[in-house]
Amino acid sequence: MLANLFTPYKLNDTLTLSNKILMAPLTRCMADDDLVPTQKMVDYYARRADAGLIISEATIIRPDGQGYPNTPGLFTPAQINGWHVVTDAVHKNGGKMFAQLWHTGRVAHPHFFGGGEVLSASAQAVEGTVPRMRELVYQTPKPATLDDIKQLVADYAQAAENAIEAGFDGVEIHGANGYLIDQFLHHDSNRRDDEYGQTPEKMSRFALEVVDAITTRIGADRTGLRLSPGAYFNMAADPRDRAVFDYLLPELSKRNLAYLHVGIFDDSTQFDYLGGSASAYMRSVYTGTLVGVGSYTAETGSAAIEANKFDLLAIGRPFIANPDYVAKVRDGGELVTYTDNMLAELI
Ligand code: FNR
Ligand code: 8K6
């Protein structure tokens, strides 16, 4: 029954995964104060190298992209060198690893980067405070100017190049979960009336510019993308968003990316304006490799792949609790149940 998870999967001519279980990107807030990966992070990722592909925790492309403490970066030589130690250890254990490239946009906080402005599509703040840092109230962002947008696109492309220099096999662009790219894709956060707002084509433009700049730099075969067509985190839903993704996903289908990845915590969540789950919607409008995720077990994920709902299965929380998740699933070992207190430590 689980056998379909353990057959190789060819992403493209460059990359073949040894199995279909991916480690989902998982923010752990454990980088050092220069946002450099530590030895404990090296060991944590190396222990999980039997995943078909490890996607790194979200990694900021530049200082003003930071919204949580001690999230790693990929914009200084020390960060690039630190990640190289991680990718060497993963490769030595036979694994493959992509870096997830991140800018939190309006969910950033100047506390983390020495003050200044927070950038987003429009001046629409997200309500609340930085998790576990209740004194840090989210600010009203500055709408990115056309020059800001140019610079952001260039910085994403540079971070992708830095990722390759750091030994990653590719990058996953974080376009999901209410962060910067997603802020251009939803009406809740995008109220622009210039060439980056109002219509599906214009609202998709920033995402496509980032994709095109990165694929030009490192190749589409090494570039994945995560998207959340259904708003569920740091974002309010708007039925008009459907038309944006109806435009964007066929555009992405033309670009031969390594894969598209659903950004969701529980894939049984139904979105009325998408006509069902996020993965079912994405499957219906996107033709390339789709990575499903969101409260799956190996059993339910395997069944979903068998039913052709998606091609690859990403596993998040169970991988935090079980460094040997893949071996346990393969050999029928007993899994440790994830609990939130496990976030305190890298095992
Ligand atoms: C996440 N998730 C997440 N997603 C992402 O795109 N980048 C990230 O850095 C993180 N960080 C993160 C941290 C923690 C502690 C959790 C629990 C989740 C979402 C994650 O990749 C995944 O989509 C969900 O956890 C759902 O999958 P599971 O956990 O049900 O298998
Ligand atoms: C990348 C973010 C870093 C912080 C991650 C913390 C995640 C903890 C899990 C909280 C899950 C909240 C998800 C909300 C789901 C709403 C479902 C409708």
Side-chain angles (χ1 to χ4, degrees):
M1 155 82 190
L2 301 178
N4 64 352
L5 297 176
F6 293 96
T7 52
Y9 186 87
K10 192 173 176 196
L11 283 177
N12 47 50
D13 289 343
T14 313
L15 294 167
T16 297
L17 310 183
S18 61
N19 63 65
K20 293 188 186 138
I21 302 176
L22 278 52
M23 179 180 171
L26 294 160
T27 290
R28 300 302 306 269
C29 301
M30 299 278 188
D32 75 14
D33 288 341
D34 296 320
L35 312 187
V36 174
T38 62
Q39 185 59 42
K40 282 189 175 153
M41 289 167 63
V42 174
D43 299 338
Y44 160 85
Y45 283 116
R47 281 193 282 272
R48 289 159 172 84
D50 57 354
L53 179 68
I54 295 173
I55 303 159
S56 81
E57 62 203 280
T59 298
I60 58 172
I61 63 162
R62 59 185 223 181
D64 70 352
Q66 189 175 353
Y68 307 86
N70 297 93
T71 53
L74 251 175
F75 55 88
T76 71
Q79 292 161 359
I80 295 170
N81 292 337
W83 276 119
H84 218 307
V85 184
V86 175
T87 59
D88 283 347
V90 168
H91 288 149
K92 188 163 158 263
N93 288 357
K96 288 197 165 57
M97 186 167 185
F98 274 28
Q100 193 188 44
L101 302 184
W102 196 28
H103 190 299
T104 64
R106 65 177 178 170
V107 193
H109 200 287
H111 169 79
F112 300 116
F113 49 91
E117 282 170 320
V118 166
L119 287 179
S120 183
S122 299
Q124 300 291 320
V126 68
E127 269 187 38
T129 56
V130 176
R132 284 170 290 196
M133 301 186 80
R134 295 180 65 174
E135 74 282 14
L136 298 181
V137 177
Y138 288 123
Q139 300 196 355
T140 300
K142 177 194 139 184
T145 64
L146 297 184
D147 282 343
D148 291 333
I149 289 176
K150 263 200 202 110
Q151 191 60 51
L152 283 162
V153 171
D155 291 340
Y156 273 102
Q158 183 62 48
E161 191 170 318
N162 295 348
I164 299 302
E165 191 186 332
F168 285 100
D169 298 284
V171 305
E172 174 175 294
I173 303 165
H174 196 344
N177 297 351
Y179 299 115
L180 180 65
I181 292 172
D182 203 27
Q183 288 159 28
F184 280 81
L185 296 172
H186 291 267
H187 284 86
D188 173 46
S189 43
N190 186 342
R191 313 283 172 94
R192 300 176 74 97
D193 57 11
D194 65 358
E195 56 261 55
Y196 290 90
Q198 284 188 328
T199 69
E201 292 82 352
K202 291 175 177 174
M203 289 173 71
S204 298
R205 183 168 168 176
F206 180 62
L208 289 171
E209 285 182 349
V210 171
V211 167
D212 290 342
I214 288 179
T215 57
T216 300
R217 199 75 76 91
I218 69 165
D221 49 344
R222 295 191 183 277
T223 305
L225 171 64
R226 196 172 212 197
L227 291 175
S228 296
Y232 77 102
F233 190 57
N234 298 318
M235 189 65 71
D238 186 314
R240 293 174 298 166
D241 295 346
R242 164 75 183 255
V244 179
F245 290 89
D246 280 350
Y247 171 79
L248 176 61
L249 289 166
E251 278 299 313
L252 291 167
S253 296
K254 295 181 204 161
R255 284 166 166 79
N256 290 317
L257 299 179
Y259 63 82
L260 193 65
H261 187 179
V262 183
I264 191 78
F265 275 75
D266 182 347
D267 196 33
S268 68
T269 308
Q270 303 291 303
F271 297 95
D272 52 1
Y273 59 96
L274 300 179
S277 68
S279 66
Y281 167 71
M282 287 164 86
R283 190 59 147 185
S284 72
V285 279
Y286 182 75
T287 56
T289 296
L290 185 66
V291 181
V293 73
S295 305
Y296 285 98
T297 62
E299 288 75 18
T300 60
S302 163
I305 289 175
E306 203 56 38
N308 198 29
K309 293 182 174 170
F310 45 77
D311 305 294
L312 297 165
L313 172 67
I315 292 288
R317 287 162 287 189
F319 242 127
I320 291 176
N322 301 274
D324 47 356
Y325 180 84
V326 172
K328 279 181 174 168
V329 168
R330 191 184 49 227
D331 305 336
E334 192 149 339
L335 292 170
V336 176
T337 303
Y338 167 86
T339 55
D340 284 339
N341 61 10
M342 293 175 183
L343 294 176
E345 212 189 341
L346 293 176
I347 60 160

